Amino acid sequence: MAVKATFIASLVAIFLALFKFIVGFLSSSVALMALAVDSLLDSFVSILNTIALKKVRQNSNETYNFGYEKMEAIVSFIEALIISFVGIFMLFKSIEKLYTKQELSLIFPAMMSIAFCILLTFLLLFYLNRVLKKEDSLILRADIFHYKIDLITNFATLLALLFIYFTDFYIIDAIFGIFISIYIVYGAYGIGKIGFEMLLDKALNKEIIDEISKLILANDEIKTFHMLKSRSTIKTNYLSVHLVFSPTISLLKAHDISHDLEKEIRQKFNDKKWEIVMHLDPYDDFKKDLNENSTDSS
């Protein structure tokens, strides 16, 4: 369902982009042209999301042991770069129009076109939200959020054209074009930042790490821990840690304690899947390694 929904969203976005490009070109509206570019990017994003969603759902194999979840990060980073370049181009075109002071034509047809786009985007959001209720997907949530922003910018452009229609204050078109371009670049930054952090294996939030540390030290059998490392993808959190037990504890008991600890972590933070690796130590070898390294360096 989610794959089909993102594909339908891409088709609608392509139609809206072509429609806005034609009306924007005929009316000489840079604000409308900026919206056309945004719709074209929407279609590109939805197509990539459809491909990524299919790939991400494939199981891990001998070549890719951790699966394909990072595909979403790669796709989002590529999207962000393309969106940024287009947004900057539209910004320069809008600033240029501030100086040329080109008047608009076919303002009323342009307003009717924007109103039609608002209606179509609203219907698309209604459909995507219905699919989301049946099948939860982070990619689909991102698509819905993006089209909600489109709805707002379309409405803002309609207000700008309405203002021009009654006042002949044509410069407002260039001003709205600048604001929409800035929004495009800002949105690209948000998309790219998430993808970039995933590709660099950014650690989990400090609040989550602190809570996990408390869960570990709450067990009296665990003396201390070290080498706690974490990273995250869209659907999975990864955690590895060395747990230090007493040398006299049985392997079975240490195993059971670590197994229960894994279960606690999964239950407490159940918004994502967890891949957890716990190494059992009879002493704090991390301190020993540090001492040996300091001795070698001296």
Side-chain angles (χ1 to χ4, degrees):
M1 286 289 288
V3 175
K4 180 182 176 182
T6 54
F7 179 70
I8 291 174
S10 65
L11 294 179
V12 173
I14 291 172
F15 172 77
L16 288 174
L18 294 174
F19 187 72
K20 290 174 186 176
F21 265 124
I22 294 170
V23 179
F25 177 76
L26 294 175
S27 62
S28 301
S29 170
V30 289
L32 196 53
M33 290 290 285
L35 287 179
V37 171
D38 191 40
S39 291
L40 188 62
L41 292 171
D42 288 343
S43 64
F44 179 68
V45 168
S46 292
I47 290 170
L48 284 180
N49 284 343
T50 303
I51 297 170
L53 197 58
K54 285 184 176 181
K55 196 68 177 176
V56 165
R57 292 184 174 187
Q58 292 183 11
N59 296 326
S60 57
N61 51 51
E62 292 182 0
T63 306
Y64 296 97
N65 300 159
F66 294 95
Y68 298 89
E69 288 190 16
K70 278 197 175 182
M71 178 70 71
E72 294 189 60
I74 296 171
V75 168
S76 65
F77 190 68
I78 294 172
E79 290 170 4
L81 290 177
I82 296 173
I83 292 170
S84 296
F85 286 131
V86 174
I88 292 170
F89 173 76
M90 293 307 302
L91 179 62
F92 279 116
K93 293 296 290 183
S94 299
I95 293 173
E96 181 184 28
K97 190 165 185 179
L98 282 175
Y99 293 97
T100 58
K101 298 179 180 179
Q102 181 183 4
E103 294 187 0
L104 304 183
S105 58
L106 303 174
I107 297 178
F108 186 75
M111 286 193 297
M112 293 299 99
S113 301
I114 288 291
F116 170 72
C117 292
I118 289 173
L119 176 62
L120 194 57
T121 305
F122 177 80
L123 293 174
L124 176 61
L125 279 170
F126 179 77
Y127 166 70
L128 293 177
N129 274 296
R130 286 193 64 180
V131 174
L132 185 65
K133 289 180 180 178
K134 296 178 180 178
E135 182 181 347
D136 192 14
S137 166
L138 288 174
I139 291 180
L140 195 56
R141 287 184 188 180
D143 247 13
I144 289 172
F145 178 76
H146 199 77
Y147 286 111
K148 281 181 180 178
I149 298 298
D150 282 355
L151 197 64
I152 295 171
T153 53
N154 282 328
F155 188 70
T157 304
L158 179 61
L159 291 178
L161 293 176
L162 191 65
F163 185 81
I164 294 170
Y165 185 74
F166 287 106
T167 64
D168 289 335
F169 189 60
Y170 294 99
I171 199 173
I172 197 72
D173 177 61
I175 294 172
F176 267 71
I178 290 171
F179 279 115
I180 293 171
S181 300
I182 292 172
Y183 151 71
I184 291 173
V185 175
Y186 177 76
Y189 170 76
I191 295 171
K193 183 174 181 289
I194 296 172
F196 190 69
E197 289 175 347
M198 283 188 183
L199 290 174
L200 288 182
D201 289 335
K202 182 184 177 183
L204 297 175
N205 292 337
K206 185 177 181 301
E207 293 78 11
I208 297 178
I209 297 299
D210 289 343
E211 287 296 319
I212 291 174
S213 299
K214 289 179 183 177
L215 288 175
I216 294 173
L217 296 177
N219 193 302
D220 295 333
E221 297 287 352
I222 301 175
K223 305 304 179 183
T224 185
F225 67 93
H226 53 262
M227 296 291 289
L228 193 155
K229 297 180 180 180
S230 66
R231 65 182 180 92
S232 180
T233 62
I234 292 294
K235 295 183 179 180
T236 309
N237 290 329
Y238 294 85
L239 177 73
S240 65
V241 62
H242 288 213
L243 305 178
V244 180
F245 293 89
S246 169
T248 58
I249 195 171
S250 68
L251 177 60
L252 178 60
K253 187 174 182 181
H255 171 270
D256 290 343
I257 291 171
S258 63
H259 186 269
D260 291 339
L261 181 58
E262 285 186 32
K263 189 184 296 184
E264 284 185 78
I265 294 172
R266 289 191 172 94
Q267 288 176 347
K268 189 172 182 65
F269 307 101
N270 56 10
D271 57 323
K272 289 186 179 183
K273 295 188 300 180
W274 282 86
E275 292 286 343
I276 303 174
V277 177
M278 292 185 175
H279 181 80
L280 312 181
D281 283 338
Y283 56 87
D284 196 343
D285 55 0
F286 182 68
K287 288 183 178 179
K288 180 183 177 182
D289 292 339
L290 286 177
N291 292 333
E292 289 177 351
N293 290 334
S294 62
T295 303
D296 293 339
S297 61
S298 61

